[in-house]
Every structure is written in structure tokens, then in C-alpha cells.
């Protein structure tokens, strides 16, 4: 078997995936330890039988729905290659919007930042690569996620991030941050999408948040104000139909300048607001 034949049959086997060509290439790159441009440059290269066997097993798991990121163990986010595991959500391209908006905020040069529910560490680490003077604290309730985020931090040698276990604010020492960010769980418990596609393989604790999907967002909005400096910002990702409800939560909690940004698909995906500490 040669590279081009192998890819062709994998694409065919995986015809249900919208990204079958890309999926097949990424899996083969993983098995061969090469880049995608190598596959294009050397389509006639033979593949040995051990590689063939490994590739076919991965393609089969992909056909059964397992996300490519879990099969190859990594996912690109922002400029970083992050190690992923079944302990956490796979970083999504939509979440890069949160990084972009956070980088544009007016904050002190040495801003202090808190990332709640960091998972792989994606948001915190992306911010850290762009702003070496920011002091970033990232927490997750799952100890496996904390270990994974710490591994990613070390891999990218980002010394301005501290990662530890906390159930939202529970273990965070009382202090005030200039920015709080979070991509919390926000899917409704009864959402039929939970039994379809990649999310079936991801931990429900990172996806589902009560009957209306807003349980964690409610908590974050209400509790953030005690941890924000005067003029500090809260930025949260949410479901595309939750914009109005989340803006209301921000207003109830006392935020001003509340606004929602749309993702690349034109869907409401991120809300932020600024907090003025009374009598500060
Ligand atoms: N955007 C993800 C999805 O719909 C959900 C992410 C989350 O709950 N934070 O698959």
C-alpha cells in the first residue's frame, strides 16, 4: 500500500464525517510521524504493515465517531499544539474568539487574569503566549484536567500561568482580577446533540449545565463581582441561543458595558461586561 491509496480508502470509509479528507490525513500524519505537506509531496511512498495496521485501527475508531483529537492526542488552539485527553473538552475554534476579545481589553500592563474551568489550559495558555507580563491563574474542578493543563503549560514553557484545582471560586484566595474568563459547560441536559458526533466522547461535566444550560453561567456572573477589580472584565462563552439570557445575568449582577460577540458562523457566542466596584 502507498500513501495515496491508503488515504483514498480511509476517506471512503469515513464518508459520514464532514471532514473525512482532513481526518484521514491527520490520522496518517500521526501514524507516520510526518506533516500534511509530506503526504502531498510523497503520495507514492509505501507504508509498512505495522503502520498500515495501526492506521486502519484508528480509521475504524474514527468511523465509529471518536474525535480525531482524542485519537491523535493533540489539538491545535491559537498558536499552540495542546495535549488532549478524555478528561476534558477538546478546544474549539470558536473559543479563540474569547482569546481575541480578551487581548483587546483595556487593562493594566501587568494585568491579573483568572481562567475558570480551564480544561486543557487552552484559554489561559493562549493569553499567556501573547502577554508575558500578565499574571494568569487557571483552575479546574477535575484533577485530571489540572494535570493536563499543567503538562501543556510546561510543554510551552509559560511561566506566567499558575494552575490548581478549584470548584469555580471555592479554592481561590480572596483577591481581585482585572479579567475573569471562562468557557463553562452550557448545554441543556436534554439537548439531543449530546448523543450525536464528537460530544458523545467528551465528559458531560464539561458540557452540561442544568435544565436550561445556564446553571454555571448564573453562578459565574453572580460570584465574579467579588473577585473583579474596579473596571475589571468578565468574559464568558455561551450557547448561540443564550445571548439575551446571559446579558440579563450580567446586568443583574451589576455589570455595565455588557455586549455579545458573534463567532465566525455569525452566532452569538461570547458575552462580556465591565464591573465598577461601588464607592471604589
Ligand atoms: N461549544 C461546545 C459544543 O456545543 C460546548 C462547549 C461548552 O459546553 N463549553 O459542542
Amino acid at each position: 500500500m502507498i500513501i495515496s491509496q491508503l488515504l483514498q480508502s480511509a476517506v471512503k470509509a469515513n464518508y459520514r464525517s464532514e471532514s473525512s479528507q482532513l481526518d484521514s490525513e491527520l490520522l496518517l500524519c500521526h501514524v507516520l510521524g510526518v506533516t500534511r505537506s509530506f503526504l502531498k509531496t510523497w503520495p507514492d511512498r509505501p507504508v509498512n504493515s505495522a503502520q498500515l495496521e495501526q492506521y486502519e485501527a484508528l480509521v475504524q475508531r474514527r468511523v465509529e465517531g471518536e474525535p480525531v483529537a482524542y485519537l491523535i492526542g493533540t489539538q491545535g488552539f491559537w498558536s499552540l499544539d495542546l495535549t488532549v485527553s478524555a478528561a476534558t473538552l477538546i478546544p474549539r475554534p470558536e473559543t479563540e474568539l474569547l482569546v481575541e476579545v480578551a487581548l483587546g481589553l483595556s487593562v493594566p500592563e501587568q494585568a491579573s487574569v483568572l481562567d475558570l474551568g480551564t480544561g486543557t489550559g487552552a484559554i489561559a495558555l493562549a493569553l499567556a503566549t501573547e502577554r508575558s507580563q500578565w499574571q494568569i491563574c487557571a483552575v479546574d474542578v477535575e484533577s485530571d484536567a489540572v494535570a493536563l493543563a499543567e503538562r501543556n503549560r510546561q510543554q510551552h514553557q509559560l511561566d506566567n500561568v499558575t494552575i490548581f484545582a478549584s470548584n469555580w471560586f471555592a479554592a481561590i484566595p480572596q483577591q481581585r482580577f482585572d479579567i475573569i474568563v471562562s468557557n463553562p459547560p452550557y448545554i441543556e441536559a436534554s439537548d439531543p446533540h449530546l448523543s450525536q458526533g464528537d460530544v458523545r466522547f467528551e465528559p458531560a461535566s464539561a458540557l452540561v449545565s442544568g435544565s436550561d444550560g445556564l446553571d454555571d453561567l448564573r453562578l459565574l456572573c453572580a460570584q465574579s463581582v467579588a473577585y473583579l477589580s474596579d473596571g475589571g472584565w468578565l468574559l464568558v462563552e455561551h450557547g448561540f441561543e443564550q445571548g439575551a439570557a446571559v446579558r440579563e445575568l450580567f446586568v443583574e449582577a451589576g455589570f455595565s458595558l455588557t455586549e455579545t460577540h458573534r463567532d465566525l458562523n455569525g452566532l452569538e457566542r461570547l458575552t462580556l461586561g465591565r464591573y465598577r466596584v461601588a464607592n471604589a
Side-chain angles (χ1 to χ4, degrees):
M1 276 281 216
I2 58 170
I3 284 177
S4 59
Q5 288 170 329
L6 209 56
L7 278 177
Q8 220 172 20
S9 64
V11 171
K12 225 163 106 188
N14 191 22
Y15 69 94
R16 278 202 197 84
S17 164
E18 282 168 23
S19 52
S20 64
Q21 180 72 34
L22 179 63
D23 295 355
S24 307
E25 290 177 13
L26 290 173
L27 293 177
L28 191 53
C29 290
H30 175 67
V31 169
L32 302 181
V34 301
T35 61
R36 284 172 67 211
S37 59
F38 181 100
L39 302 181
K40 303 252 186 298
T41 315
W42 307 105
D44 298 328
R45 273 287 165 98
V47 172
N48 71 36
S49 60
Q51 291 166 333
L52 179 66
E53 202 174 308
Q54 195 192 347
Y55 186 58
E56 284 178 341
L58 288 177
V59 169
Q60 187 50 36
R61 285 169 64 187
R62 179 63 195 137
V63 168
E64 283 159 21
E66 229 172 301
V68 174
Y70 285 161
L71 295 174
I72 66 179
T74 63
Q75 171 73 38
F77 181 82
W78 201 253
S79 58
L80 306 170
D81 231 348
L82 297 175
T83 299
V84 300
S85 84
T88 69
L89 198 72
I90 298 165
R92 308 280 203 270
E94 294 93 285
T95 306
E96 293 179 343
L97 174 66
L98 199 152
V99 174
E100 206 176 298
V101 173
L103 291 173
L105 294 174
S106 119
V107 286
E109 211 162 299
Q110 304 192 344
S112 56
V113 180
L114 173 63
D115 177 15
L116 293 164
T118 197
T120 57
I123 298 171
L125 299 177
L127 292 174
T129 55
E130 299 292 332
R131 297 285 185 273
S132 58
Q133 286 166 306
W134 286 9
Q135 280 305 320
I136 303 173
C137 181
V139 299
D140 202 285
V141 67
E142 302 290 341
S143 57
D144 288 350
V146 172
L148 183 68
E150 176 59 18
R151 177 178 165 174
N152 280 320
R153 185 193 72 74
Q154 286 177 15
Q155 213 148 19
H156 294 284
Q157 299 180 326
L158 294 164
D159 296 333
N160 53 332
V161 185
T162 310
I163 303 167
F164 57 92
S166 178
N167 185 5
W168 301 127
F169 292 98
I172 295 169
Q174 182 53 55
Q175 61 185 296
R176 294 201 176 261
F177 295 91
D178 298 303
I179 306 177
I180 298 177
V181 293
S182 184
N183 175 16
Y186 53 70
I187 299 180
E188 292 176 20
S190 61
D191 191 322
H193 293 107
L194 290 167
S195 55
Q196 297 162 18
D198 287 12
V199 291
R200 284 175 300 161
F201 293 84
E202 294 177 292
S205 61
L207 293 165
V208 180
S209 187
S211 58
D212 62 357
L214 292 170
D215 281 5
D216 292 295
L217 284 159
R218 260 190 288 272
L219 180 150
L220 292 178
C221 288
Q223 297 191 4
S224 285
V225 294
Y227 292 86
L228 280 172
S229 58
D230 186 38
W233 303 88
L234 172 66
L235 283 79
V236 295
E237 184 174 313
H238 52 73
F240 69 96
E241 293 171 318
Q242 294 172 331
V246 173
R247 286 191 294 279
E248 211 175 297
L249 291 175
F250 270 69
V251 171
E252 275 170 24
F255 285 89
S256 55
L257 300 178
T258 297
E259 64 179 36
T260 298
H261 290 245
R262 290 177 186 270
D263 64 19
L264 288 174
N265 296 316
L267 302 171
E268 291 196 331
R269 184 61 66 189
L270 158 71
T271 293
L272 72 153
R274 191 167 210 193
Y275 189 64
R276 288 280 174 205
V277 177
N279 307 318

